[in-house]
């Protein structure tokens, strides 16, 4: 119910009182299960990640975190995590605000999933700090594009996107001289493709994975373990 409220009305609309009202119970009865909104949100994060795993692998078959990750393919693990985060941020728009806040919420299931990716990267030859940087680079790509998508969605709801693309951008280029920015001016007729966040993710993720692979190959050639 809490996830539904946040999905439908946004995180600011979520409160213990609102959840209780939707469930038809007394507000105070919820405090027997969670200590407050912060703990409720943490459980929501855990729930949506578990739900996604169940959908991908079958109900009740959430990824086992007790499995030894040694030998796991780092590229498969990091790519799977990146696509999973993108899928969840697209499905639950409130999640972006939660996982990019500081200090971050770190429910056990999420920590276990991240540990698996980091273990695969370290097993491939990265030191723990570099493995964490690689992981955060992939996660940052997703979160940055999700932020861009969120801004576009807000503009769409206000009817601003079409006007910006068809009126404001051409006017800016005309005022400043389109000949001074020929490449950007040429994108006006292809803005849908240029601003397609899914295509940006595919491009950025492939280049990031290729870059990590090159780094690992270079370390191996130099005999760095």
């Amino acid at each position: 119910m809490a996830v539904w409220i946040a999905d439908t009305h946004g995180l600011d609309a979520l409160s213990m009182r609102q959840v209780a009202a939707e469930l038809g119970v007394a507000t105070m009865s919820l405090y027997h299960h969670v200590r407050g909104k912060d703990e409720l949100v943490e459980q929501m994060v855990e729930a949506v990640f578990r739900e996604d795993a169940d959908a991908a692998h079958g109900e009740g078959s959430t990824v086992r975190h007790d499995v030894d990750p040694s030998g796991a393919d780092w590229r498969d693990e990091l790519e799977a995590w990146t696509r999973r985060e993108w899928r969840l941020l697209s499905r639950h728009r409130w999640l972006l605000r939660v996982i990019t806040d500081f200090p971050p919420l770190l429910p056990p299931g999420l920590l276990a999933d991240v540990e698996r990716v980091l273990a695969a990267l370290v097993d491939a030859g990265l030191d723990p700090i570099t493995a964490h940087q690689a992981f955060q680079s992939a996660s940052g790509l997703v979160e940055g594009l999700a932020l861009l998508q969120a801004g576009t969605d807000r503009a769409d709801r206000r009817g601003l996107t079409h006007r910006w693309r068809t009126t404001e951008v051409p006017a800016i280029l005309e005022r400043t001289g389109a000949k001074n920015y020929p490449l950007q001016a040429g994108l006006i007729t292809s803005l849908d493709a240029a601003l397609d966040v899914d295509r940006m993710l595919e491009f950025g993720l492939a280049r990031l994975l290729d870059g990590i692979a090159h780094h690992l190959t270079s370390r191996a050639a130099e005999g760095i373990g």
Side-chain angles (χ1 to χ4, degrees):
M1 181 58 67
V3 171
W4 177 84
I5 292 172
D7 285 347
T8 306
H9 303 292
L11 199 61
D12 289 335
L14 180 70
S15 66
M16 300 289 280
R17 183 188 300 274
Q18 182 65 23
V19 173
E22 294 290 344
L23 292 174
V25 299
T27 301
M28 292 306 298
S29 68
L30 295 183
Y31 289 93
H32 295 297
H33 305 281
V34 293
R35 287 173 292 182
K37 182 175 177 179
D38 289 345
E39 185 173 321
L40 175 62
V41 172
E42 182 172 339
Q43 291 190 14
M44 289 163 61
V45 174
E46 183 94 355
V48 297
F49 273 87
R50 184 181 301 115
E51 175 192 23
D52 184 78
D54 286 345
H57 304 287
E59 187 174 356
S61 59
T62 303
V63 175
R64 287 180 58 198
H65 305 302
D66 59 336
V67 175
D68 183 357
S70 61
D73 185 89
W74 70 267
R75 188 171 185 130
D76 288 345
E77 292 287 345
L78 185 56
E79 181 175 359
W81 166 268
T82 304
R83 295 189 184 284
R84 185 183 187 193
E85 186 176 9
W86 178 248
R87 187 165 59 244
L88 286 171
L89 290 180
S90 299
R91 188 182 302 157
H92 305 287
R93 298 303 174 92
W94 55 269
L95 189 58
L96 176 66
R97 172 175 161 188
V98 173
I99 65 176
T100 57
D101 201 4
F102 194 87
L105 294 178
L106 300 172
L110 180 59
L111 284 173
D113 287 344
V114 173
E115 184 73 12
R116 184 178 183 88
V117 181
L118 294 177
L121 288 164
V122 169
D123 192 54
L126 296 182
D127 63 84
I129 292 177
T130 306
H132 185 262
Q133 291 173 338
F135 173 82
Q136 290 294 348
S137 295
S139 191
L141 170 66
V142 170
E143 291 161 8
L145 291 176
L147 184 61
L148 176 62
Q149 184 63 63
T152 302
D153 289 344
R154 287 194 297 271
D156 286 344
R157 289 193 294 270
R158 297 171 60 192
L160 298 178
T161 305
H162 179 73
R163 187 179 72 192
W164 178 78
R165 292 185 177 187
T166 60
T167 304
E168 294 185 14
V169 172
I172 291 171
L173 290 172
E174 181 178 354
R175 185 168 63 251
T176 58
K179 64 180 183 298
N180 295 322
Y181 312 101
L183 296 178
Q184 294 175 80
L187 289 175
I188 290 179
T189 57
S190 306
L191 281 179
D192 284 341
L195 298 176
D196 186 329
V197 290
D198 289 304
R199 292 175 65 172
M200 293 181 198
L201 177 68
E202 294 301 323
F203 179 86
L205 178 58
R207 303 293 80 75
L208 176 64
L209 294 172
D210 288 347
I212 296 171
H214 177 74
H215 178 71
L216 286 168
T217 302
S218 298
R219 285 173 62 88
E222 296 169 5
I224 302 175

